[in-house]
Amino acid sequence: MSPEGDQGPEEAPELRLLFWESTARCNLHCAHCRRLDADDASSADELTTDEARRVIDSAAGLGRPVIVFSGGEPLLRDDWEALAAHARRRGLPAALATNGTLVDPPLARRIADAGFRRVSVSLDGADAATHDALRGAPGAFDAAAGGARALRAAGAALQINATLTPQNLPQLNALTDLAEGLGAEALHLFVLVPVGCGLQLGDDRRLSPAQVEEALEWVCRMQARGRIELKATCAPHYYRVARQWLARREGAPAGGHPPGQADHVRAAVRGRGCLAGVGVLFVSSAGEVFPCGYLPVSCGSVRRADLGEIWRSSGVLRRLRDYELLTGKCGCCEYRAVCGGCRARAYAATGDYLAEEPMCTYAPGRP
């Protein structure tokens, strides 16, 4: 995790999302957690309230990024309300990522009053058996679903997050129904990045590359129906799959699809896949800065340098922004400018964050 050599400042893109691991503490023991430690001892060096305020102040000079309060379990910090208010004063939207199990009606009201743009709750299956097995706690599903209902009753905008596994892949339709039934505005599906505890998961609990393709095709089909906002996360090759899906539809016989359906996919496919270091940044509980929460290559520390200076000058981030540096099949892929491959999975597989994405089945130049 040692930092790579920095370079002088140059024009940097606007920061879109700042993920702040507000604490490493958590009340669950998830099998796919990006951390190996989630106890009180691991949080001894977490940023103080004043240090966190300074990070927010610096982020306000990098555009208007959404600050995502994540963890661990961010609700275990005592100052989350004060820091959400500080972000609001600086004109920055904030979001909260919680496992939902601690949320009861009074806490849901406090969360809603804090003004978070959106609150995400993790549900990794459409039933208790599937979710609880991954989250390592019996009753976690019922508690998270209850937390989601309390948040909606309090008026918070709700998002459901789910990490895709072979166990919940057959449940995607049911999971969508569950998210809609809970009143969620969005369902975000995460493709596992093997770091932390996730490195210890067996193949029976990780999707194969072919299963990832299957899931991304399903996302395109469901997006076309326009029922709920669907997003594939940590799945940059969605942007390739969606373009291929749209091309097949445009070549289909007239009258084969209801008019306007593909517009939902066209809207979702705008942008680029992997945003690590390009539009996304991650600050750990101890202030270490990484391109994303799953890519353990340090770009510096907010305790030693200003966040804005790190964003503009880090050699790691500048290399991630140069698509010409990608190697392997990502380097010669015609979709590299819209996909880019997951840099964190490349690093996990090879130790090189510019190597090819290991979970992609596409052969560049294939018709």
Side-chain angles (χ1 to χ4, degrees), residues 19-85:
F19 290 90
W20 174 43
E21 181 193 44
S22 57
T23 182
R25 289 169 288 160
C26 191
N27 60 314
L28 298 180
H29 302 280
C30 303
H32 58 310
C33 183
R34 61 172 198 81
R35 296 189 62 98
L36 287 170
D37 52 346
D39 52 19
D40 289 342
S42 66
S43 68
D45 197 32
E46 67 189 26
L47 295 181
T48 65
T49 303
D50 285 342
E51 287 175 321
R53 285 196 184 101
R54 287 196 290 273
V55 171
I56 292 169
D57 291 341
S58 184
L62 298 175
R64 195 168 178 266
V66 177
I67 298 182
V68 182
F69 287 56
S70 69
E73 173 48 59
L75 295 174
L76 292 177
R77 272 190 79 116
D78 295 330
D79 57 359
W80 60 266
E81 286 166 290
L83 290 170

Side-chain angles (χ1 to χ4, degrees), residues 106-355:
L107 182 54
R109 170 50 56 194
R110 288 169 56 195
I111 292 170
D113 289 345
F116 289 106
R117 172 180 284 187
R118 185 176 280 180
V119 182
S120 65
V121 171
S122 297
L123 287 172
D124 293 317
D127 56 43
T130 306
H131 176 82
D132 292 358
L134 198 62
R135 292 280 159 175
F141 177 85
D142 291 336
R149 293 187 184 95
L151 287 163
R152 282 300 300 126
L158 178 66
Q159 173 181 309
I160 299 300
N161 291 344
T163 297
L164 292 172
T165 66
Q167 289 70 40
N168 64 30
L169 191 60
Q171 300 179 346
L172 288 181
N173 288 325
L175 190 58
T176 305
D177 291 341
L178 174 62
E180 290 180 326
L182 291 170
E185 297 180 353
L187 172 61
H188 287 201
L189 302 173
F190 288 70
V191 175
L192 178 75
V193 181
V195 294
C197 295
L199 284 168
Q200 302 171 5
L201 286 178
D203 290 343
D204 61 329
R205 302 183 82 176
R206 301 189 198 183
L207 294 185
S208 67
Q211 287 174 315
V212 171
E213 290 281 313
E214 176 188 343
L216 297 180
E217 288 273 352
W218 178 89
V219 168
C220 292
R221 293 195 302 273
M222 291 299 291
Q223 283 175 333
R225 298 180 188 180
R227 287 175 48 187
I228 188 174
E229 176 195 308
L230 270 172
K231 184 177 180 182
T233 301
C234 297
H237 30 319
Y238 159 80
Y239 289 83
R240 184 257 308 162
V241 170
R243 282 168 170 77
Q244 292 174 317
W245 185 88
L246 286 166
R248 289 197 302 271
R249 285 181 64 102
E250 289 167 358
H257 305 286
Q261 271 197 351
D263 291 344
H264 297 291
V265 182
R266 290 191 187 96
V269 83
R270 295 181 187 130
R272 183 178 184 269
C274 186
L275 292 175
V278 180
V280 166
L281 206 56
F282 178 91
V283 177
S284 79
S285 61
E288 202 75 13
V289 180
F290 300 101
C292 81
Y294 303 105
L295 179 49
V297 178
S298 178
C299 303
S301 169
V302 297
R303 284 178 163 156
R304 297 188 297 272
D306 178 75
L307 181 69
E309 184 62 22
I310 294 171
W311 177 249
R312 289 185 291 270
S313 302
S314 164
V316 174
L317 301 181
R318 291 178 65 178
R319 282 186 280 278
L320 285 167
R321 295 165 189 161
D322 187 350
Y323 311 147
E324 298 299 318
L325 297 179
L326 297 178
T327 63
K329 68 179 183 180
C330 285
C332 62
C333 182
E334 61 269 37
Y335 292 100
R336 66 179 173 181
V338 296
C339 169
C342 175
R343 300 298 94 221
R345 274 194 294 271
Y347 184 80
T350 69
D352 178 4
Y353 56 81
L354 297 173

